Each structure stands twice: as C-alpha cells, then as structure tokens.
C-alpha cells in the first residue's frame, strides 16, 4: 500500500502547484503545510537516535508505515481539487472502490464504512446502482459502529453529519441556523477536548463525564467506555517533557504511554495515537496543527457561505465533520478516503467551482 501511495504522490501534476485558482491565502496555508511536512520528514531522516530502530529498519518504518511520513502527504492532493478532470476521475475511482469493497465486504471487515467521510457529496450526481452502493456504505458504517467486540464509534459522528448534508441542502433554508451550526461545530472541540491537553490528572474530562452519565442512564459501561482521556493526558505530558509543543518530534517519532507500557516492553513508547489531533501534535507540533485545521476551516467556510452550488456546500459540511472527528475519531493514516477528502477540499478553495451553478456541476459530473 505504501508504494502505491508514494507513487500517487509523485504523479500529482506539478503544474497544479503553480497554476491553480486558489486564493492567495489558501495557497499560502497549503504551501506552508507541505513545506513543514517535508521539514518533519527530514528531521526523522537525520535523526540518529536509537529509538529510530525500535520497530526494526528505520527507513521502512519512516516511508513504509502509513502513520509516519505518509501521514503528512494527503494535503498535497488538495491541488487536484482545482481540476474538474481530477474531480471526475475521483468519482469514477470511488465507484470502482465501492464495487470492489462490496464484493469483499465480509472478508475485509466492512471496508466501505470509511467512505462515509465524503461519499454523500456524490449522491445527487450518480445513477441508481451507484446510489445503492452508497447506501451500502452507510449500512457497513452502522454495523461497524454498533457491533463486534470493539465497535468503531466515530461513525456515530460521521453518519449524523451526512444526514445534516441532506437537511441543509434540501430541507433547512435558514442561513441563521447554518451559521450557528458552523460556529458550534468549530468551537465545540476547542471547549470539550483541547482543555484535556492542559488539565491536571485529577480533573474530570468531557469523556469521563459523558461516560459516567451514560452508564448511569443505561447501566452499560461498554457503550461509553472512555478510551480518549488518557491519550490526551499522556501526549501532553510527553510533549511538555521533551519541549516539542511548537514543532513536534518529526514524521517518525514516539511518545511514552504508561497505559500501553504496562502490557508490553515498548521501551520507546508508541509511534502513533488513535486521535488525529494528537498525531499531528506529535509529528509537527502546534504550527502544523494550526495550518492543517486552518486549511480545512477555510475550505469549509468558503463552501458553506460562498458556494453557489450544492456540491461544494455538501463538501463544506463534511469538511466540518472531518475537523470535528479529528479531535476524537480514528481517521488517521494515508488511504483512499484521505486522498479523496483532500481532493474534494480543493474544490472548496477553487473560485471556479464555488461559483458554478448546480446545473453546470450536474452536467459535468454526470457525463
């Protein structure tokens, strides 16, 4: 998989770096994000610490693991979103992925579920068979969110956002409601989750309070087990101890986890966390996090408030979903759905696509 992703990175058209129609601000943020990503990779390349060999060969781990250097690559695909040709190709590639995923659904443990992060945006522009496959995506997401020994509960966040896409585009017309929704989604993670990075170990976090409330109401401690608070606390402690808050520790880096060290011999700790925000803090520090979320929020705001068609507006809502989920859900890595999300994010940064009518978008995507 790593070879395929690096090949994809190399085939991103160089011309789009210079000749895209993104705003000056969007281009500045995107380029700074990519330059910092390259810097973090070079930090690991020249790092001679013994921890670089804790998992075996340093170079295989650095360039072959989707949670190290590759994790910094998806924003590069944002440039493709400025090209209508690239968006049409993404739609076709998504269809192919849907067909293959449907054929091997059980064997691969419901791989289509992760496409809930973006696939709803294509729903109005596809035929009946494609729509049935999109429906299967959400069936798999519900299965993964509610069944098995370790359900992936982040889909309980993504599915409502997909429903909100339908509601905002076809039912709710109030601009005031939309504005309050955008503000609430933007601010909520900063109030609910970020304080855990600055909390004392004795303070109850949002997750702990939610866990206690749900257990009291349902008598089911498995439904609301807190698997996030300790991740925030341990990452904050490690970044403070190593003075790495500003620029992180490099594309291939570790953080110490007392929780996981109790059941293993991991001398150098873990190379990744289940929370995207914490991974980006570990890799690139606060500067990378601000650039990463800044790019997503610029796109989301552009699409929702300035978009003239339902296609980019739906992308804007799913961009907010990605932003919110990055504080709690496990959407870390470099896979097809990461690439697809950032290609679509590019559409929200393109004035050409933002200003197209619904009729023109439909004519282009359905050809």
């Amino acid at each position: 998989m790593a070879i395929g992703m690096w090949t994809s990175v190399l085939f991103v058209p160089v011309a789009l770096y210079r000749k895209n129609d993104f705003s000056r601000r969007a281009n500045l943020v995107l380029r700074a994000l990519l330059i910092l990503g390259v810097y973090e990779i070079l930090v690991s390349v020249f790092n001679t610490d013994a921890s670089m060999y804790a998992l075996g060969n340093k170079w295989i781990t650095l360039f072959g693991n989707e949670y190290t250097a590759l994790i910094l690559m998806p924003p590069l695909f944002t440039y493709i979103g400025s090209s209508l040709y690239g968006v049409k190709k993404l739609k076709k590639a998504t269809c192919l992925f849907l067909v293959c995923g449907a054929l091997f659904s059980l064997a691969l443990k419901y791989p289509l579920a992760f496409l809930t992060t973006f696939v709803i945006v294509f729903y109005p522009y596809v035929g009946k068979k494609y729509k049935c496959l999109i429906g299967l995506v959400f069936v798999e997401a519900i299965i993964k969110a509610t069944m098995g020994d370790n359900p992936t509960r982040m889909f309980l966040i993504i599915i409502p956002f997909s429903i909100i896409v339908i509601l905002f585009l076809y039912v709710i017309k109030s601009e005031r409601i939309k504005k309050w929704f955008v503000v609430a989604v933007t601010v909520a993670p900063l109030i609910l989750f970020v304080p855990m990075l600055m909390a004392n170990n004795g303070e109850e976090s949002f997750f702990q309070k939610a866990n206690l409330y749900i257990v009291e109401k349902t008598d089911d401690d498995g439904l609301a087990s807190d698997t996030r608070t300790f991740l925030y606390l341990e990452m904050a402690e490690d970044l403070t101890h190593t003075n790495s808050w500003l620029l992180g520790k490099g594309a291939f880096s570790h953080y110490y986890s007392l929780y996981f060290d109790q059941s293993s011999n991991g001398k150098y700790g873990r190379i990744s966390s289940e929370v995207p925000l914490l991974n980006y803090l570990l890799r690139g520090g606060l500067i990378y996090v601000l650039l990463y979320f800044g790019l997503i929020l610029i796109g989301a705001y552009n699409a929702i408030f300035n978009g003239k068609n339902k296609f980019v507006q739906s992308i804007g809502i799913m961009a907010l979903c990605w932003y919110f989920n990055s504080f709690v859900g496990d959407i870390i890595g470099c896979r097809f759905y990461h690439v697809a999300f950032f290609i679509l994010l590019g559409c929200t940064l393109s004035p050409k696509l933002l200003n197209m009518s619904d009729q023109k978008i439909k004519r282009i995507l359905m050809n």
Side-chain angles (χ1 to χ4, degrees):
M1 184 179 73
I3 294 175
M5 292 308 304
W6 282 114
T7 302
S8 299
V9 167
L10 294 175
F11 277 93
V12 174
V14 176
L16 293 177
Y17 303 161
R18 302 188 305 270
K19 297 181 180 179
N20 58 73
D21 65 338
F22 297 164
S23 68
R24 182 178 180 183
R25 178 180 60 175
N27 261 315
L28 182 64
V29 172
L30 181 53
R31 288 170 183 170
L33 185 64
L34 294 173
I35 289 171
L36 185 54
V38 172
Y39 167 79
E40 299 298 347
I41 292 172
L42 291 175
V43 166
S44 295
V45 166
F46 293 106
N47 189 343
T48 58
D49 191 87
S51 64
M52 293 290 100
Y53 298 89
L55 298 178
N57 186 281
K58 166 185 173 178
W59 306 108
I60 292 177
T61 306
L62 176 58
F63 293 107
N65 190 309
E66 67 169 318
Y67 302 116
T68 49
L70 275 172
I71 202 178
L72 306 173
M73 291 298 104
L76 176 65
F77 292 88
T78 306
Y79 286 115
I80 296 177
S82 67
S83 163
L84 285 170
Y85 176 79
V87 176
K88 290 177 68 174
K89 286 296 182 182
L90 172 62
K91 181 191 161 198
K92 292 180 180 179
T94 302
C95 183
L96 180 61
F97 192 101
L98 287 168
V99 172
C100 294
L103 292 175
F104 300 100
S105 182
L106 293 177
L108 298 177
K109 297 182 180 179
Y110 310 112
L112 297 181
F114 287 93
L115 270 60
T116 51
T117 51
F118 73 91
V119 76
I120 193 68
V121 306
F122 288 127
Y123 190 84
Y125 311 104
V126 296
K128 291 182 179 178
K129 293 180 180 178
Y130 202 140
K131 286 180 178 177
C132 288
L133 289 171
I134 291 176
L136 180 60
V137 168
F138 287 91
V139 171
E140 289 197 7
I142 292 171
I143 292 172
K144 285 185 75 72
T146 59
M147 298 182 183
D149 296 330
N150 187 27
T152 310
R153 289 173 293 180
M154 74 168 184
F155 292 116
L156 298 177
I157 297 174
I158 299 173
I159 293 172
F161 271 92
S162 298
I163 295 172
I164 289 170
V165 167
I166 304 299
L167 291 176
F168 273 2
L169 298 187
Y170 300 101
V171 180
I172 300 173
K173 301 300 181 181
S174 171
E175 290 299 318
R176 179 176 294 181
I177 293 176
K178 290 181 182 179
K179 287 179 181 178
W180 278 110
F181 170 76
V182 171
V183 171
V185 173
T186 304
V187 174
L190 306 180
I191 296 174
L192 298 176
F193 310 135
V194 171
M196 286 189 287
L197 291 170
M198 300 172 282
N200 295 319
N201 287 336
E203 297 179 5
E204 278 194 337
S205 71
F206 164 78
F207 295 109
Q208 291 167 329
K209 293 176 182 177
N211 177 56
L212 181 61
Y213 176 80
I214 294 175
V215 169
E216 287 178 349
K217 294 295 182 181
T218 65
D219 262 346
D220 184 358
D221 58 356
L223 181 63
S225 56
D226 176 19
T227 61
R228 291 296 181 262
T229 299
F230 77 94
L231 295 175
Y232 273 83
L233 294 176
E234 290 184 340
M235 183 64 73
E237 185 178 349
D238 185 272
L239 292 175
T240 300
H241 180 71
T242 57
N243 295 315
S244 304
W245 278 102
L246 191 61
L247 288 171
K249 301 168 74 173
F252 176 16
S253 48
H254 302 74
Y255 79 97
Y256 181 71
S257 170
L258 176 63
Y259 179 89
F260 287 98
D261 199 37
Q262 291 174 348
S263 57
S264 67
N265 295 318
K267 179 181 177 182
Y268 297 107
R270 310 179 76 207
I271 66 167
S272 67
S273 168
E274 288 77 6
V275 178
L277 166 67
L278 302 182
N279 266 300
Y280 294 127
L281 281 172
L282 178 65
R283 302 291 183 245
L286 285 170
I287 295 178
Y288 190 90
V289 166
L290 291 174
L291 291 171
Y292 180 86
F293 288 132
L295 183 70
I296 292 173
L297 291 177
I298 288 171
Y301 283 39
N302 272 349
I304 294 172
F305 296 124
N306 301 322
K308 301 296 192 296
N309 59 78
K310 293 180 173 62
F311 179 63
V312 293
Q313 289 170 359
S314 62
I315 297 172
I317 295 171
M318 294 313 295
L320 286 179
C321 176
W322 190 278
Y323 162 80
F324 186 91
N325 215 17
S326 294
F327 290 84
V328 59
D330 189 359
I331 52 171
I332 201 71
C334 185
R335 303 185 185 186
F336 175 73
Y337 71 94
H338 298 93
V339 171
F341 170 77
F342 278 97
I343 291 175
L344 292 170
L345 185 67
C347 297
T348 69
L349 302 174
S350 167
K352 175 176 62 182
L353 284 165
L354 286 167
N355 292 312
M356 279 187 182
S357 66
D358 282 312
Q359 291 77 13
K360 190 169 184 179
I361 287 285
K362 189 169 186 178
R363 186 168 60 250
I364 291 171
L365 290 180
M366 295 196 77
N367 284 339

